[in-house]
Amino acid sequence: MADKTKSSSSFFNRSLTIHGHRTTDSTPKSHSLNPSLNRTTSITKFYNPVETSLKGKVKNLCRLFEGSKSSAKPTDPPQKHKSNKSVLSESRLSPFLSLNNSVIRLPGTEDRIVVYFTSLRGIRRTYEDCYSVRMIFRGFRVWIDERDVSMDSAYKKELQIAMGEKSSVSLPQVFIMGKHVGGADVVKSLFEIGELAKILKLFPVREPGFVCRCCGDARFIPCSNCSGSKKLYDEDEDRHKRCPECNENGLIRCPDCSS
């Protein structure tokens, strides 16, 4: 019984077990028996291989990219860089050059911007292009000579003569300072790259919200001679005649804002 009590007391006596381990076992031996308790060895064991592997991978990648750069430097990048610059400059300057070197001219309009368009919505794409071009110019608040070919057939004849009497002419068509600029695609590209703003600086700017008092920016008014009926009564011949002053729609061009 005495031996049992001694063994149990020694087992539950923490100080004795701790001191017993310390007295009997030395520090290096405990580390060798339980290497997980050795903090330095565990850190070096788990982290050193990762660091070395990462460093090796980074070095290999650096060498790989440096080798590809050194091999590609003398041939590819300078040519690509120069070609991109040339293409960019040509794309930016081509609308300007086409404006200055335009062969198609519209006499008598060297002091204005002329836009041939249609207000009819029969062809949706054409109407949207005409509307967008007009809104672009109106956004700069410059005065525009808008010529609606659907309201006056004389405008259509003018455009066909200016374009060389081609069989089909797409709308809209823009002339600036008497020189042909192009259609909706050219005007939109000029607007996007900022060249249109440089060209329009040469023109005076109207007041915000300006509207023609005579026609309300419709560019046409009813004929005052026939009241838009296109007919006049000739008393000498006792019959109706065609009014010589209005167009096929019984309209005349606004004397204030239209040519």
Side-chain angles (χ1 to χ4, degrees):
M1 292 294 290
D3 295 331
K4 289 182 180 179
T5 55
K6 285 180 181 180
S7 61
S8 62
S9 62
S10 63
F11 178 77
F12 289 106
N13 192 347
R14 189 172 182 182
S15 63
L16 289 175
T17 56
I18 293 171
H19 289 297
H21 281 293
R22 285 184 179 177
T23 54
T24 57
D25 299 333
S26 61
T27 307
K29 192 179 286 184
S30 64
H31 285 291
S32 62
L33 291 174
N34 194 358
S36 62
L37 297 176
N38 190 349
R39 193 168 185 180
T40 56
T41 57
S42 63
I43 291 172
T44 55
K45 180 181 179 181
F46 288 104
Y47 289 94
N48 282 342
V50 177
E51 290 179 0
T52 54
S53 62
L54 286 176
K55 287 180 181 179
K57 288 181 180 179
V58 171
K59 286 181 180 179
N60 291 332
L61 288 173
C62 291
R63 289 171 185 172
L64 178 64
F65 284 109
E66 285 175 0
S68 62
K69 285 181 181 179
S70 61
S71 61
K73 269 184 181 179
T75 56
D76 295 336
Q79 294 178 359
K80 288 184 179 179
H81 191 60
K82 288 180 182 178
S83 62
N84 289 337
K85 277 189 175 181
S86 61
V87 170
L88 182 62
S89 61
E90 287 176 4
S91 64
R92 284 175 177 258
L93 293 176
S94 58
F96 230 162
L97 292 173
S98 64
L99 176 61
N100 294 329
N101 301 327
S102 178
V103 179
I104 302 173
R105 302 297 176 97
L106 190 64
T109 60
E110 289 78 9
D111 59 341
R112 66 186 69 181
I113 303 167
V114 180
V115 179
Y116 287 94
F117 72 102
T118 179
S119 58
L120 297 179
R121 304 192 182 190
I123 302 175
R124 182 177 178 181
R125 175 65 183 275
T126 302
Y127 173 77
E128 289 177 352
D129 288 341
C130 293
Y131 180 81
S132 61
V133 167
R134 291 170 67 199
M135 290 303 105
I136 287 173
F137 282 109
R138 288 189 180 187
F140 289 98
R141 292 192 288 114
V142 293
W143 183 78
I144 314 163
D145 188 357
E146 296 180 346
R147 302 185 177 185
D148 191 349
V149 299
S150 61
M151 298 293 288
D152 196 342
S153 60
Y155 285 149
K156 187 176 182 180
K157 293 178 182 178
E158 288 178 4
L159 181 59
Q160 287 179 347
I161 293 171
M163 299 295 289
E165 297 184 356
K166 294 181 180 179
S167 58
S168 61
V169 179
S170 61
L171 293 174
Q173 293 296 327
V174 179
F175 292 81
I176 298 178
M177 294 182 290
K179 303 172 184 178
H180 181 247
V181 176
D185 295 336
V186 177
V187 174
K188 288 177 182 178
S189 64
L190 282 170
F191 174 69
E192 289 173 358
I193 65 178
E195 295 296 334
L196 186 62
K198 297 177 182 179
I199 298 172
L200 298 184
K201 286 181 180 180
L202 303 173
F203 296 91
V205 179
R206 300 195 300 179
E207 296 179 1
F210 176 82
V211 178
C212 179
R213 295 179 181 179
C214 184
C215 66
D217 281 347
R219 302 295 188 267
F220 293 94
I221 58 174
C223 179
S224 59
N225 193 24
C226 65
S227 301
S229 64
K230 301 182 289 183
K231 296 178 181 179
L232 290 174
Y233 181 72
D234 190 352
E235 294 181 355
D236 297 334
E237 297 183 4
D238 193 20
R239 66 185 182 90
H240 287 87
K241 287 185 177 182
R242 176 70 169 84
C243 179
E245 296 184 7
C246 59
N247 60 13
E248 68 276 8
N249 295 314
L251 303 173
I252 60 173
R253 299 172 187 177
C254 178
D256 292 345
C257 66
S258 185
S259 58

